[in-house]
Amino acid sequence: MAAELSPIDKAKFVAARRAVDFVSDGMKLGLGTGSTAAWMVRCLGERIREEGLRVTGVPTSRRTAELARQVGVPIQTLDEAKWLDLTIDGADEIDTQLNLIKGGGAALLQEKIVATASDQMIVIADAAKEVAHLGAFPLPIEVIPFGWRTTMALVEETLVSLDVLNRECTLRMTGDRPLVTDESNYIIDLHLKRIGNPRQLALVLNQIPGVVENGLFIDICDIVVIGQGDGRVTVRDINSGSETEGRVDLTPNDNIFADLGD
């Protein structure tokens, strides 16, 4: 029930519910990964059940695919869909230009492929994700396991000449083992604290042998939906320059909460 959710979960939920208002019948949708995106998938499933909405989702991770199946969202692969109308996903940080850091959920590679294969990307988040400058959240990069230590050393050497505040890099672990992505790669987190030139950094990182992709999403997000714990929602459109305020009701009998399994 809504009353049992924390303020941060309420903020994620209202952002997700507002974002699915952008979904129209017949759309092919990219389905993001992470706690906020999971709310979106549940809200989408609710619309399918209650309104008969007909959509097809392309999940960005195995766990998103499993959740979509659980709540009744039809899915297919990106190769089957070919091109998407809209991707809705969360973010770890959002700056004033709607540039993003993503990858906290270790799905940045599929997320970036899906987002760039879409006519439009909507990012959903709570207000804490908005920042003046990217970099406080560690920037993930996906690397192949072969020679990962060498790759990390090359990254650290490259960072010396770039506009960042810190250059510490760490391999992301699960217990005592490296985390392995859906593509069987590793994640290295760059603890930069502040990124002065995100566009330059994104381009340079992807030139380093062993780096598959980085978590900087530059010029990809079109709309951001920011939720608050009291139900307030702000929608910012980078293309039109518009900003609108609204509110999403949080009612105790919302059917969406019946889908919660985590």
Side-chain angles (χ1 to χ4, degrees):
M1 295 172 62
E4 298 171 349
L5 293 177
S6 68
I8 192 72
D9 280 331
K10 290 178 180 178
K12 293 176 180 180
F13 165 66
V14 297
R17 171 155 276 181
R18 177 65 183 89
V20 299
D21 289 342
F22 288 89
V23 177
S24 302
D25 203 54
M27 275 189 169
K28 296 179 180 179
L29 304 170
L31 308 177
T33 294
S35 59
T36 312
W39 283 109
M40 176 271 300
V41 176
R42 295 181 180 110
C43 290
L44 192 59
E46 184 186 46
R47 284 197 62 189
I48 289 171
R49 292 192 303 272
E50 297 190 357
E51 303 173 23
L53 181 72
R54 296 173 300 167
V55 296
T56 303
V58 173
T60 55
S61 66
R62 295 189 187 112
R63 57 188 181 278
T64 296
E66 179 58 30
L67 177 59
R69 293 187 189 99
Q70 290 175 6
V71 301
V73 179
I75 60 173
Q76 60 182 187
T77 67
L78 183 58
D79 286 334
E80 291 169 333
K82 296 182 176 64
W83 193 260
L84 307 177
D85 300 291
L86 173 64
T87 287
I88 306 177
D89 203 349
D92 298 302
E93 283 188 342
I94 307 164
D95 73 9
T96 56
Q97 302 301 310
L98 303 196
N99 295 316
L100 319 171
I101 285 181
K102 289 180 53 55
L108 66 96
L109 178 56
Q110 287 191 25
E111 288 173 334
K112 188 175 282 190
I113 292 171
V114 168
T116 54
S118 305
D119 288 336
Q120 190 175 51
M121 181 188 192
I122 297 176
V123 167
I124 49 178
D126 59 89
K129 301 299 193 300
E130 292 187 289
V131 297
H133 302 281
L134 299 177
F137 189 92
L139 173 65
I141 58 173
E142 186 156 342
V143 303
I144 65 169
F146 175 81
W148 70 265
R149 293 182 186 276
T150 300
T151 300
M152 187 163 72
L154 288 170
V155 170
E156 291 173 335
E157 181 180 342
T158 301
L159 290 174
V160 172
S161 62
L162 296 173
D163 186 6
V164 296
L165 197 58
N166 192 54
R167 298 191 299 274
E168 179 188 359
C169 300
T170 58
L171 181 68
R172 193 180 301 183
M173 306 291 289
T174 300
D176 59 354
R177 296 177 178 273
L179 181 146
V180 178
T181 70
D182 282 358
E183 292 76 34
S184 300
N185 294 318
Y186 290 169
I187 295 287
I188 294 175
D189 290 310
L190 281 53
H191 305 267
L192 306 177
K193 296 186 178 180
R194 184 183 185 278
I195 299 171
N197 191 333
R199 188 184 305 277
Q200 179 192 42
L201 179 60
L203 291 171
V204 170
L205 286 173
N206 280 10
Q207 300 304 310
I208 298 173
V211 175
V212 180
E213 189 53 84
N214 69 81
L216 285 166
F217 283 50
I218 310 297
D219 298 333
I220 297 176
C221 175
D222 298 284
I223 295 173
V224 62
V225 181
I226 301 294
Q228 305 277 356
D230 60 1
R232 288 178 294 145
V233 177
T234 302
V235 179
R236 297 193 184 97
D237 188 321
I238 192 70
N239 298 312
S240 68
S242 65
E243 179 173 318
T244 59
E245 304 283 342
R247 183 175 291 274
V248 172
D249 289 333
L250 283 164
T251 54
N253 60 353
D254 257 320
N255 293 335
I256 191 70
F257 301 106
D259 294 325
L260 289 173
D262 54 19

